[in-house]
Amino acid sequence: MRDAYHDELNTLTDRLVEMTRLVRSAMSRATTALLDSDLHLAESVISQDEEVNRLYAEVETSIYEVMATQQPVAIDLRTVISALRMAADLERMGDLAEHIAKIARLRHPTSAIPASLRDIILEMGQIAERLITKTGTCIATRDVELSKELEADDDAMDKLHRRLFRILLSPDWKYGVEAAIDITLAGRYYERYADHAVRVAHDVVYLVTGSRQES
């Protein structure tokens, strides 16, 4: 019985790692769709978000069953609590990638991103992918030291987010209100994606050490 119980806890970790893989792919494709006005990629991100939602539901159901039947304590209790929080953040990250894809779909066949801002959005997408890649490794290995690296990546994302706002508020802005709204939303989605990745890393630290980092 205990072997089956711990197998179930290991399965939770596997599902979480799979969720990181899915939301990384979603963000990669969403960024390409946004920059290149690729309708096919945008639609694939939107339709495949259901797979992330399915895994989240599986994690949630499994956790409630474990808590009801096994009444976990100590490290096992931290494992299931952390897994539930991680799954919720990862599910939200999938939603944020989907939102970016919807901007691309809305503006197709033109790109929602002016040429002068493409490099910033591309870098935000790259940071987002780097964050979620490290997040998956943190979950799989419970590497507390690696989790600290996400803070620096998040700072880089915040810096780019602020840079976008300075450009949008500049008197030299010449792309109109519609583009300003699209870029404001996209920038916010990337910034929030990074924040959720850091929150997952904080939960890894809590799982391992029993103490929480400040968000």
Side-chain angles (χ1 to χ4, degrees), residues 9 33 36 38 59 61 64 68-69 73 77-78 85 92-93 103 106-109 127 134 137 164-165 189 194 204 214:
L9 295 182
D36 296 348
D38 189 320
V59 169
T61 298
Y64 290 150
T69 60
V73 296
L77 182 59
R78 290 210 303 271
R85 289 168 56 94
R92 182 56 181 153
M93 291 169 79
I103 295 175
L106 178 65
R107 300 307 174 200
H108 180 79
I127 292 172
K134 290 180 180 179
T137 301
L164 271 184
F165 266 96
Y189 297 150
V204 171
E214 293 296 326

Side-chain angles (χ1 to χ4, degrees), residues 108-148:
H108 180 79
T110 61
S111 173
I113 307 301
S116 62
L117 295 179
R118 287 177 61 86
D119 287 348
I120 298 177
I121 295 299
L122 177 61
E123 188 173 355
M124 293 180 89
Q126 291 170 341
I127 292 172
E129 289 184 56
R130 185 161 69 243
L131 276 160
I132 191 57
T133 299
K134 290 180 180 179
T135 298
T137 301
C138 286
I139 294 171
T141 64
R142 300 187 181 182
D143 188 334
V144 171
E145 291 305 312
L146 179 60
S147 72
K148 296 175 182 177

